[in-house]
Amino acid sequence: MVVSTIARAKTSVSSLRYQQFKILSAHGQCHHGPVDGVENDKLNMGKIRIVAVIGTRPEAIKLVPVILAARERSHLFEVKVVQTGQHRELVDQLMLEFGIKADANLNVMQPNQDLSYVLAESVRGLSQLFARENPDWVLVQGDTTTTLAGALAGFYNCGRVGHVEAGLRTGDRHSPFPEEINRALTTRLADIHFAPTELARRNLLREGISSEEILVTGNTVVDALLHTLSRIQVEAPSKSRYILVTAHRRENHGPALLEICEALRRLLTRFRDVRAILPMHPNPNVRDVLVSRLGAHDRITLTEPLGYTEFVKVLNASVLVLTDSGGVQEECAVLGKPMLVMREHTERPEALDPDVAILVGTDPAKIVEVGSRFLNDANKTSKKQALSGKFGDGSASIQILDALLRRRDLSIKPVSFQGASQLRLGSLT
């Protein structure tokens, strides 16, 4: 039942060993040379020390698999997790779900914080931490303000920076804002670029990045999704159909969000047998609009942000997804889920498919037109039986860690990965 699906799940926390965060003395000088060189015997001694920087929920989802994989190979890696606090409750909820506790938290979050404040405070706090911790690698993910801050602080402290999900581009520096500029600047600061797709690799090559510094790994969101799908309990199919809606992106604040609300109301008016579930982002610029425009609708359920396991359950059982999220685009592509992307541009064109995934912007007429077509052809959800490999096979985390090992010992060969992507959807719906 939909009601049981959206109820807050009490997820169990895995019993991971938690080591206290250890601050090392600062050396006050750069300790790393070119990324492809073996500096000296120092790099061949001891564990590789990694600091993973997390600021937002999407970063947490996509770095958690790398963190868990590194901790499973604790004889080779020592990984520390630092939160900037750019988002607080959303990240804490996600980390708790996967049994991970941050080793340090900068707590930069403030009400109505602006981008310059988050960037300045994050760079300052991370720079101090990196100077003391002296990591071999700083790992940042994606394109948030925290991503840019982590890369800049790593560069300032002469550390190696690894960029997870590198090379995504729309070609419009203002869309999405500020993510397009954040990821382009992070590219200039990173030493190694973990591209999720071949298209992302080509984007980086066009910008002058050496092919030796780029590794196509697939996207770590596939790792997280497959891990979650493998452990969720199958629920009896619900007789009611519902749309999952996520809307939060900064460029959709204001008039665009009002258009999204209007489109959803029109779509539900046309399809009386369909409901909508809309987890609300905590940003008041989003939440206040959603509550005022949709809160009284009898077939729209506004919820607090869902835990990741809970979200995957809802996503997997939906008949259609309306989203402006980047990560949800990838998850829908993996699942073959019908999707309307409510943006003018996407840095993930691989997710688009004329049969199941359309870029529609926020125009209500287009959202209703394409959404109606998908809802009238419910059989589309059963046409794809296997998980799509557009964004990788679930081995991205292993490939990332193996790349770091090869830069310590060039004789190490990659670890082979046996098909997590062979998991089929038939047992999940």
Side-chain angles (χ1 to χ4, degrees):
M1 298 294 291
V2 172
V3 173
S4 63
T5 303
I6 66 174
R8 183 72 57 188
K10 294 183 178 179
T11 55
S12 61
V13 178
S14 60
S15 57
L16 294 174
R17 294 185 62 186
Y18 169 59
Q19 298 179 351
Q20 294 295 324
F21 189 58
K22 182 171 60 177
I23 300 296
L24 303 180
S25 60
H27 292 281
Q29 59 182 357
C30 296
H31 61 281
H32 288 315
V35 66
D36 288 321
V38 178
E39 177 188 51
N40 51 36
D41 289 341
K42 175 184 176 182
L43 286 180
N44 293 313
M45 296 172 59
K47 300 178 183 180
I48 295 176
R49 298 188 309 280
I50 299 171
V51 172
V53 182
I54 294 174
T56 66
R57 174 186 166 102
E59 289 170 88
I61 290 172
K62 294 180 178 184
L63 279 180
V64 156
V66 182
I67 295 165
L68 293 177
R71 289 184 173 174
E72 288 177 358
R73 302 163 81 177
S74 59
H75 60 295
L76 295 172
F77 299 98
E78 178 184 357
V79 59
K80 306 295 185 183
V81 181
V82 56
Q83 290 178 233
T84 62
Q86 181 177 345
H87 292 169
R88 186 174 298 151
E89 292 85 357
L90 294 180
V91 175
D92 289 345
Q93 176 192 54
L94 191 284
M95 302 266 281
L96 178 64
E97 186 171 349
F98 282 91
I100 294 176
K101 185 174 182 179
D103 299 288
N105 195 323
L106 304 183
N107 292 311
V108 302
M109 185 178 183
Q110 289 186 351
N112 298 314
Q113 61 192 12
D114 61 24
L115 296 174
S116 59
Y117 164 79
V118 174
L119 180 62
E121 288 301 300
S122 296
V123 170
R124 183 179 64 83
L126 290 171
S127 291
Q128 293 174 354
L129 188 148
F130 295 161
R132 295 193 298 266
E133 177 66 10
N134 192 24
D136 297 310
W137 286 94
V138 173
L139 288 186
V140 297
Q141 191 283 326
D143 49 29
T144 71
T145 304
T146 287
T147 306
L148 176 57
L152 189 57
F155 174 76
Y156 282 166
N157 288 276
C158 307
R160 286 184 173 88
V161 176
H163 186 195
V164 179
E165 197 182 69
L168 276 61
R169 300 289 188 271
T170 65
D172 182 341
R173 66 199 301 247
H174 296 291
S175 178
F177 177 88
E179 288 85 358
E180 181 75 358
I181 288 296
N182 285 345
R183 54 191 170 223
L185 293 174
T186 300
T187 293
R188 309 321 304 178
L189 296 164
D191 297 281
I192 184 169
H193 311 263
F194 300 112
T197 64
E198 178 61 28
L199 176 59
R201 186 186 77 89
R202 293 199 299 269
N203 290 338
L204 293 168
L205 291 173
R206 279 195 297 269
E207 295 177 6
I209 302 302
S210 169
S211 62
E212 295 179 353
E213 297 176 359
I214 306 170
L215 177 65
V216 178
T217 62
N219 200 301
T220 54
V221 76
V222 182
D223 302 28
L225 181 62
L226 295 182
H227 172 75
T228 303
L229 289 173
S230 70
R231 60 189 179 86
I232 63 175
Q233 294 182 350
V234 178
E235 295 187 2
S238 173
K239 294 182 179 180
S240 63
R241 301 197 298 167
Y242 66 86
I243 301 168
L244 173 63
V245 185
T246 70
H248 73 280
R249 194 163 291 277
R250 186 180 295 268
E251 65 265 27
N252 280 346
H253 292 181
L257 187 56
L258 296 176
E259 290 185 323
I260 290 171
C261 292
E262 176 61 22
L264 182 58
R265 294 179 66 91
R266 290 187 198 176
L267 199 56
L268 293 181
T269 297
R270 182 172 293 190
F271 293 88
R272 296 286 181 178
D273 66 322
V274 174
R275 299 183 60 192
I277 297 175
L278 205 164
M280 295 184 295
H281 195 280
N283 189 322
N285 294 314
V286 176
R287 177 180 291 260
D288 293 350
V289 172
L290 296 179
V291 171
S292 65
R293 296 289 175 145
L294 303 176
H297 199 289
D298 62 349
R299 284 183 288 122
I300 297 177
T301 302
L302 301 178
T303 77
E304 295 301 319
L306 303 177
Y308 189 65
T309 300
E310 195 175 355
F311 178 80
V312 169
K313 287 182 181 180
V314 173
L315 173 65
N316 191 52
S318 64
V319 296
L320 176 65
V321 177
L322 276 58
T323 187
D324 62 5
S325 164
V328 175
Q329 290 179 57
E330 295 155 347
E331 290 157 340
C332 285
V334 173
L335 296 171
K337 186 66 60 177
M339 168 181 62
L340 308 186
V341 182
M342 301 183 296
R343 294 169 55 180
E344 299 302 323
H345 307 90
T346 180
E347 60 287 294
R348 296 168 173 86
E350 304 94 332
L352 301 180
D353 182 321
D355 289 331
V356 291
I358 305 291
L359 191 69
V360 295
T362 60
D363 176 54
K366 189 166 186 180
I367 292 174
V368 173
E369 174 195 353
V370 180
S372 297
R373 173 156 58 90
F374 285 164
L375 288 171
N376 281 324
D377 191 3
N379 290 330
K380 287 188 183 295
T381 58
S382 63
K383 288 183 179 179
K384 294 189 176 182
Q385 295 299 313
L387 294 171
S388 167
K390 287 182 177 181
F391 292 98
D393 62 4
S395 67
S397 299
I398 292 174
Q399 293 186 56
I400 288 167
L401 294 175
D402 284 346
L404 302 187
L405 284 172
R406 289 195 299 276
R407 277 155 177 77
R408 185 187 69 174
D409 183 346
L410 300 182
S411 68
I412 291 181
K413 297 180 180 180
V415 174
S416 62
F417 185 82
Q418 299 296 327
S421 60
Q422 294 175 359
L423 181 65
R424 302 183 72 83
L425 287 180
S427 63
L428 299 172
T429 57

